[in-house]
């Protein structure tokens, strides 16, 4: 027994049938289970850290309408117990007449073939979720988490376009999957325990299903690792071999993922997938679209959460600069007690923040800016897609006519934490939004940060680039002849 919960095996749906797994450590990845225990080696291991997409699989959840919503994730990052109550679909589970593999064959989308299962799964997920043919650009976005070292992307994109002209598969196992998922709904919340040969101790996994049970579990076990999307924690297990004896998963609590809007404030549950949280932000703030698309890749955004992105305290996390520019607040919960803090001030040092042991990041509250506020977010990284930022920023000015009445400038990658540029903000506030004011703010920016040199960029590059991004912001938002998005964006976005 664990906290009144009866321990039981992990149960999920694969190929239309319920699979039960017991006896494996809770940190066994879906990829390791597929390849080493289920004999399903079609799903490949490339990097084992979420970067290459060779391991891409689909995970299905039953929605309220009784249909399965399939989303891609990296099997190398997901621990097997996170499949509990859900469905798994891999490249080997697609019918032979599925349009995605057929189009890849017909358009020569594969050479060595190592990346191919991942591409096929990403294409099949797109095909399942998007009935009408996507544009070439949308295809490229959907494949941003898949790397190919030999074929080149043109034939793969051709295959993605061509699959929409092929007939749908004759047989579809979704009905069996729905029935099995409905059966699993009667299971009690997962409490799982198995010996871990690597540590000689038990490895445990708790997945409460209600908000109160989640808060209680975290407060009762302050030493536990809170597991959200596992896009950071998966690497702790795979690359750092860190022992993780007790995982408390937030993933089975629907209310923890909720996104709502009341009175001009967007409330984002900390467990909301990055994909959903950014979609909600972009719906209100269209200029954020390019930035949101460059956050990791679809499989990482489907699993990773906005709460995890803020809780990890990374100085190069992409959510914090934008949320700080928007003056977001975070709600923390410990047991039954909630407290609300401004995100600005939450970080106290490199990977450190004000969260106490046993306390959960509960919700993010984002005041939506009015029409007088101009907002942009920019990211610089060595690769356009699926790359960690060298530099990222959220920039906001509120204008009264041509005068800046308020300015919020936040950068990641410039200091040990994501931080605001107070001197630059002071140089902007109360001034006309002119080039002279911009120059003063750029000059002040030099005293706001003392960035370091690392593999993503030198200190000098970072300072020069931060100033250039501030200039770009002015060019796009100046009252007189602002540049059209097409002049400054890779993909044009609505104004
Ligand atoms: C291939 C790849 C590309 C990436 N690209 C980017 C990128 O472009 N930009 C970027 O910013 N990040 C990127 N990341 C990093 C990562 O995706 C994010 O940091 C992610 O948002 C972490 O969220 P998660 O839900 O996966 O957290 P997890 O890995 O589950 O947890 C991360 C940390 O947060 C804690 N935690 C999680 N949720 C809570 C909560 N509610 N309360 C308290 N503590 C909590 C965990 O205990 C842990 O310490 C990338 C990662 C990978 C693997
Ligand atoms: S093996 Fe490379 S993303 Fe999983
Ligand atoms: S076909 Fe060889 S890596 Fe893509």
């Amino acid at each position: 027994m664990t906290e009144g919960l009866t321990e039981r095996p992990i149960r999920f749906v694969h190929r239309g049938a319920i699979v039960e797994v017991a006896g494996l450590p809770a940190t066994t990845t879906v990829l390791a289970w597929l390849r080493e225990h289920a004999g399903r080696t079609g799903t490949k291991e490339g990097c084992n850290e979420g970067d290459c997409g060779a391991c891409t699989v689909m995970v299905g959840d039953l929605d309220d309408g009784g249909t399965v919503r399939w989303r891609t994730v990296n099997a190398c990052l997901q621990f097997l117990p996170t499949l509990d109550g859900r469905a798994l679909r891999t490249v080997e589970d697609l019918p032979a007449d599925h349009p995605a593999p057929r189009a890849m064959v017909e358009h020569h989308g594969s050479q060595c073939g190592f990346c191919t299962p991942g591409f096929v799964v990403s294409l099949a997920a797109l095909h399942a979720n998007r009935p009408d043919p996507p544009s070439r650009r949308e295809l490229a976005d959907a494949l941003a988490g898949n790397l190919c070292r030999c074929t080149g992307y043109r034939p793969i994109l051709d295959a993605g376009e061509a699959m929409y002209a092929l007939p749908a598969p004759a047989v579809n196992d979704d009905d069996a999957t729905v029935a099995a998922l409905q059966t699993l709904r009667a299971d009690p919340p997962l409490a799982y325990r198995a010996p871990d040969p690597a540590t000689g101790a038990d490895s445990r996994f708790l997945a409460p299903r209600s908000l109160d049970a989640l808060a209680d579990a975290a407060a009762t076990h302050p030493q536990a690792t809170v597991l959200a999307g596992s896009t950071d924690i998966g690497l702790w297990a795979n690359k750092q071999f860190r022992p993780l004896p007790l995982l408390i998963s937030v993933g089975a609590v629907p209310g923890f993922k909720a996104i709502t809007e009341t009175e001009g404030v967007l409330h984002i549950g900390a467990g909301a997938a990055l994909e959903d949280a950014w979609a909600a932000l972009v719906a209100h703030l269209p200029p954020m679209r390019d930035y949101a698309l460059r956050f990791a890749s679809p499989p990482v955004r489907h699993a990773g959460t906005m709460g995890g992105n803020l809780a990890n305290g990374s100085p190069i996390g992409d959510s914090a600069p934008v949320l700080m520019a928007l003056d977001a607040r975070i709600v923390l919960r410990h047991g039954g007690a909630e407290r609300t803090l401004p995100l600005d001030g939450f970080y106290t040092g490199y990977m450190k923040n004000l969260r106490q042991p046993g306390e959960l990041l509960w919700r993010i509250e984002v005041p939506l800016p009015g029409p007088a506020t101009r907002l942009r977010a920019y990211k610089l990284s060595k690769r356009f897609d699926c790359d960690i930022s060298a530099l990222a920023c959220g920039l906001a000015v509120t204008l009264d006519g041509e005068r800046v009445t308020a300015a919020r400038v936040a950068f990641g990658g410039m200091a040990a934490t994501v931080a605001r540029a107070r001197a630059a903000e002071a140089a902007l506030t109360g001034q006309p939004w002119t080039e002279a004011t911009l120059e003063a703010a750029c000059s002040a920016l030099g005293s706001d940060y003392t960035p370091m040199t690392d593999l993503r960029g030198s200190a000098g590059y970072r300072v020069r680039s931060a100033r250039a991004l501030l200039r770009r912001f002015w060019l796009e938002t100046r009252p007189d002849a602002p540049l059209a998005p097409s002049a400054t964006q890779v993909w044009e976005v609505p104004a």
Side-chain angles (χ1 to χ4, degrees):
M1 298 279 282
T2 305
E3 288 76 44
L5 296 176
T6 307
E7 287 166 5
R8 63 166 176 85
I10 303 157
R11 280 159 54 83
F12 59 94
V13 181
H14 188 211
R15 301 170 84 89
I18 294 174
V19 176
E20 277 198 11
V21 181
L24 295 176
T27 50
T28 306
T29 61
V30 173
L31 182 62
W33 177 78
L34 279 167
R35 295 183 58 82
E36 295 164 25
H37 301 278
R40 298 280 173 193
T41 51
T43 303
K44 302 300 178 199
E45 177 180 327
C47 62
N48 211 18
E49 59 181 25
D51 278 313
C52 76
C55 68
T56 308
V57 296
M58 281 183 249
V59 172
D61 291 296
L62 207 51
D63 67 18
D64 294 338
T67 51
V68 189
R69 185 179 68 161
W70 294 102
R71 279 187 150 179
T72 51
V73 298
N74 304 99
C76 67
L77 297 179
Q78 297 305 308
F79 299 142
L80 198 60
T82 62
L83 287 185
D84 191 72
R86 311 172 78 193
L88 173 67
R89 178 176 280 171
T90 77
V91 68
E92 287 166 273
D93 309 332
L94 298 175
D97 62 346
H98 193 286
R102 277 188 58 195
M104 283 287 272
V105 171
E106 288 170 12
H107 289 267
H108 311 286
S110 176
Q111 288 188 46
C112 83
F114 203 81
C115 68
T116 310
F119 274 102
V120 166
V121 171
S122 290
L123 288 175
L126 183 68
H127 193 266
N129 292 324
R130 193 187 157 116
D132 50 323
S135 67
R136 195 107 171 148
R137 173 257 158 105
E138 288 165 330
L139 266 168
D141 290 335
L143 297 173
N146 296 89
L147 289 183
C148 177
R149 295 291 159 117
C150 3
T151 305
Y153 296 95
R154 201 261 306 143
I156 297 172
L157 294 171
D158 288 349
E161 284 179 329
M163 74 177 173
Y164 277 88
L166 295 173
V171 181
N172 178 337
D173 79 351
D174 266 11
D175 287 349
T177 299
V178 167
L181 283 171
Q182 273 160 346
T183 303
L184 290 184
R185 282 194 163 173
D187 285 355
L190 181 64
Y192 177 80
R193 181 194 295 263
D196 185 349
T199 61
D202 275 359
S203 129
R204 296 166 64 203
F205 187 98
L206 299 178
R209 294 233 184 103
S210 73
L211 288 165
D212 287 345
L214 174 64
D216 286 350
T220 311
H221 301 283
Q223 80 290 0
T225 302
V226 176
L227 180 77
S230 196
T231 61
D232 288 331
I233 291 176
L235 273 67
W236 302 356
N238 291 350
K239 299 288 160 164
Q240 299 170 5
F241 307 111
R242 274 201 226 176
L244 299 167
L246 175 57
L247 293 163
I248 296 178
S249 169
V250 307
V253 186
F256 204 56
K257 306 173 188 179
I259 301 176
T260 56
E261 190 202 327
T262 46
E263 294 171 4
V265 177
L266 199 59
H267 301 260
I268 302 175
L274 287 160
E275 181 79 7
D276 301 328
W278 279 102
L281 284 169
V282 170
H284 290 284
L285 307 162
M288 297 293 102
R289 188 177 71 173
D290 204 31
Y291 188 85
L293 281 172
R294 294 188 58 199
F295 195 122
S297 62
V300 169
R301 293 198 301 268
H302 293 153
T305 63
M306 189 164 264
N309 196 235
L310 295 180
N312 73 10
S314 166
I316 45 175
D318 286 338
S319 300
V322 176
L323 293 173
M324 267 187 210
L326 285 165
D327 202 9
R329 303 177 290 271
I330 49 170
V331 178
L332 300 164
R333 178 163 163 180
H334 188 273
E338 286 190 8
R339 60 182 177 134
T340 303
L341 304 174
L343 178 62
D344 177 25
F346 179 55
Y347 300 112
T348 53
Y350 179 68
M351 303 297 253
K352 292 199 183 112
N353 60 50
L354 294 174
R355 192 171 64 85
Q356 298 297 314
E359 193 170 39
L360 289 166
L361 207 160
W362 202 248
R363 198 168 62 243
I364 303 140
E365 295 182 346
V366 188
L368 294 166
T373 298
R374 307 283 179 274
L375 174 79
R376 292 290 187 278
Y378 306 122
K379 166 170 176 165
L380 297 181
S381 56
K382 291 194 191 293
R383 183 172 178 262
F384 186 83
D385 288 318
C386 196
D387 198 2
I388 303 286
S389 296
L391 207 66
C393 60
L395 310 171
V397 289
T398 304
L399 299 178
D400 180 3
E402 299 205 347
R403 193 158 299 278
V404 177
T405 55
R408 296 184 70 89
V409 173
F411 274 89
M414 294 291 283
T417 65
V418 174
R420 281 173 64 193
R422 306 274 179 191
E425 289 176 1
L428 294 170
T429 308
Q431 302 301 316
W433 195 206
T434 59
E435 188 160 17
T437 301
L438 167 78
E439 294 291 355
C442 285
S443 172
L445 209 51
S447 65
D448 276 314
Y449 305 109
T450 314
M452 58 188 257
T453 294
D454 67 11
L455 57 92
R456 295 197 174 85
S458 67
Y461 165 82
R462 289 187 148 107
V463 172
R464 283 193 302 279
S465 302
R467 288 179 170 146
L469 293 177
L470 204 51
R471 174 169 288 274
R472 175 173 162 187
F473 176 49
W474 174 72
L475 286 168
E476 289 182 10
T477 61
R478 61 188 174 184
D480 183 27
L483 290 186
S486 56
T488 55
Q489 308 258 343
V490 175
W491 307 104
E492 188 173 345
V493 298

